Amino acid sequence: MATELRLPDLGEGIADADVLSVLVSAGQAVAKDEPIIEIESDKATLEVPAELAGTVTQVLVSAGDTLQVGQTILELEESDSAADVKPQAPPPATAPAGPSAVTETPAATPASTPALSRTQPSPTPSTQNLPPPPPASGDFPVFASPSTRGFAREIGLDIREVPGSGPAGRISIDDVKAHARARPSTQPAASVGLTSAPLPDFSKFGAIRRERMNRVRRATATNIAQSWSTIPHVTLFNDADITSVETMRQREKDRVRSAGGSLTITPILMKVVAAALKAHPKMNASADFTANEMVLKDYCHLGVAADTDRGLLVPVIRDVDEKSITELAIEVTEVAAQVREGQLPPERLEGASFTISNLGGLGTGHFTPIINPPEVGILGIGRAVERPVYIEGLLRPRLMLPLALSFDHRAVDGADGARFLTWIVEALAQPLMLAMGD
């Protein structure tokens, strides 16, 4: 009997992926863990391996198809050598998943779907088969762990509306994810800037070409429009004197290079920002307006915006506060190489508590970075320029770094944002505060 191999769970917030190439064909023998298709998700390009060894009997996808998580890729006749290998069970049945609208907002694992032919449309969100939500009176017990309740609050769900699949109706995190994916969006596409007036016929004016937006561009468009239309942004500007920091950087860069890293201003700023977040925890938070609570994070994971051939990606460096500048420089260098090669694992794009966007290398000065939800702030870094500055009545040449802090004014007051940015500026003026470490 043929076994179906399905698209596995690709990580939080990834509901589907495009097929870039099919690496096997009907009649071909494949080994366990041998790549069978190459896919592109919103976050990464990767190969999907075979979970079993056997012979392919039917391939159900082709290059250009969009697959939902849990959708059948191919059918395989398991070989005797793999008879003791248990195939992965399909995910529990629930409503099909639609595309996610917000980057980094935890999303549900979509349900298993039957094998789809190449001409069938992708499933669309539906709530027809969902059981009715329980009454909102709160006069009944809700069986869910504290972590499940916290997760539901963080993504804006009332835990009482989630049908539980466990014993006695116990609600799991998977139940919360499934319900979040199945519920209809309360915000039309037009309100987040994803629709526009019909375009004119540009071909009347000259030759044109059309290129399909890749998944990263489409996801970026959705996320940026959602952020800009739903978050009241405030941006504060300041300039940091990094003359002494640059002297230190020049002195230490060869040592860091010999350790395998590149000592740019980015890892230095990451260390300063991590310390600033510890001193100003309101900036290292997310706002849960459903529960009227602030989610304060004891960890410090920084997203670092990266320009790639595929578009904007934001890899995450974890536990920045626990690492030296040298360690950060090495890790940033390694991650940059993975990003360029398209080999960054999807999990390296999740979990940031604050983001840094450095456009200084492209010659930009001050700019207004857009917040990456569910974070409440982002720091934009421009190009450092030397200019005269009055110090004790004398004009002296100083290297000045443009900084721009955008924050969610619903969660952070202007005074709090100003104190946070000033703290960073003052720390950069005192580089002895920064321990290079080994």
Side-chain angles (χ1 to χ4, degrees), residues 202-266:
F202 296 112
S203 63
K204 294 189 302 183
F205 313 118
I208 63 170
R209 292 177 295 108
R210 281 184 172 266
E211 294 181 355
R212 181 173 173 78
M213 294 181 184
N214 63 25
R215 294 188 64 88
V216 173
R217 172 49 49 202
R218 301 199 305 265
T220 300
T222 299
N223 300 334
I224 293 299
Q226 178 82 8
S227 176
W228 187 251
S229 63
T230 60
I231 297 176
H233 284 59
V234 172
T235 304
L236 304 179
F237 302 99
N238 209 330
D239 295 305
D241 184 344
I242 62 167
T243 309
S244 298
V245 168
E246 178 62 15
T247 300
M248 180 188 70
R249 190 186 74 83
Q250 292 294 337
R251 184 179 65 244
E252 300 286 347
K253 67 178 183 180
D254 290 340
R255 182 180 67 82
V256 174
R257 183 183 298 113
S258 66
S262 177
L263 186 56
T264 65
I265 191 65
T266 297

Side-chain angles (χ1 to χ4, degrees), residues 144-156:
S145 68
S147 61
T148 299
R149 294 171 184 269
F151 176 71
R153 286 196 301 270
E154 188 163 355
I155 66 173

Side-chain angles (χ1 to χ4, degrees), residues 57-399:
T57 58
Q58 186 178 10
V59 178
L60 301 174
V61 300
S62 60
D65 287 353
T66 297
L67 301 183
Q68 304 291 318
V69 169
Q71 184 174 332
T72 303
I73 300 169
L74 56 80
E75 294 180 353
L76 176 143
E77 192 69 37
E78 188 177 353
S79 65
D80 293 339
S81 61
D84 58 337
V85 180
K86 295 181 180 180
Q88 177 176 320
T94 184
S100 177
V102 182
T103 298
E104 301 209 12
T105 300
T109 302
S112 169
T113 57
L116 300 180
S117 70
R118 299 171 190 168
T119 58
Q120 287 180 306
S122 299
T124 55
S126 170
T127 57
Q128 293 179 352
N129 297 323
L130 286 178
S137 63
D139 296 333
F140 60 92
V142 176
F143 299 102
S145 68
S147 61
T148 299
R149 294 171 184 269
F151 176 71
R153 286 196 301 270
E154 188 163 355
I155 66 173
L157 267 184
D158 186 340
I159 192 70
R160 295 170 298 180
E161 297 178 358
V162 180
S165 61
R170 185 174 181 82
I171 301 169
S172 67
I173 286 182
D174 285 340
D175 293 331
V176 175
K177 293 177 180 179
H179 188 74
R181 299 297 300 175
R183 63 176 180 169
S185 173
T186 58
Q187 188 171 30
S191 67
V192 294
L194 297 184
T195 60
S196 59
L199 297 175
D201 180 6
F202 296 112
S203 63
K204 294 189 302 183
F205 313 118
I208 63 170
R209 292 177 295 108
R210 281 184 172 266
E211 294 181 355
R212 181 173 173 78
M213 294 181 184
N214 63 25
R215 294 188 64 88
V216 173
R217 172 49 49 202
R218 301 199 305 265
T220 300
T222 299
N223 300 334
I224 293 299
Q226 178 82 8
S227 176
W228 187 251
S229 63
T230 60
I231 297 176
H233 284 59
V234 172
T235 304
L236 304 179
F237 302 99
N238 209 330
D239 295 305
D241 184 344
I242 62 167
T243 309
S244 298
V245 168
E246 178 62 15
T247 300
M248 180 188 70
R249 190 186 74 83
Q250 292 294 337
R251 184 179 65 244
E252 300 286 347
K253 67 178 183 180
D254 290 340
R255 182 180 67 82
V256 174
R257 183 183 298 113
S258 66
S262 177
L263 186 56
T264 65
I265 191 65
T266 297
I268 297 173
L269 269 166
M270 290 172 65
K271 190 65 178 177
V272 173
V273 167
L277 291 172
K278 288 291 184 180
H280 301 84
K282 290 181 181 179
M283 295 298 302
N284 195 39
S286 291
D288 183 349
F289 294 106
T290 301
N292 292 321
E293 295 176 346
M294 293 297 297
V295 182
L296 302 173
K297 300 163 187 176
D298 294 331
Y299 57 86
C300 181
H301 305 336
L302 294 185
V304 182
D307 178 36
T308 75
D309 292 339
R310 298 172 58 222
L312 176 66
L313 295 176
V314 186
V316 178
I317 308 298
R318 301 183 183 277
D319 301 316
V320 174
D321 55 318
E322 299 176 6
K323 298 172 181 175
S324 69
I325 293 176
T326 299
E327 291 171 329
L328 293 173
I330 294 170
E331 187 169 353
V332 168
T333 301
E334 293 172 348
V335 168
Q338 289 180 307
V339 168
R340 287 193 301 269
E341 296 165 4
Q343 300 299 317
L344 190 70
E347 59 268 20
R348 292 304 304 265
L349 296 161
E350 301 171 348
S353 54
F354 189 87
T355 293
I356 293 175
S357 179
N358 188 348
L359 296 180
L362 300 175
T364 297
H366 285 297
F367 63 101
T368 54
I370 297 179
I371 298 165
N372 191 17
E375 301 158 31
V376 298
I378 180 172
L379 182 68
I381 305 166
R383 181 181 183 180
V385 294
E386 194 171 61
R387 69 169 189 256
V389 177
Y390 270 108
I391 300 177
E392 297 178 351
L394 298 175
L395 277 176
R396 301 172 185 262
R398 308 299 290 179
L399 188 62

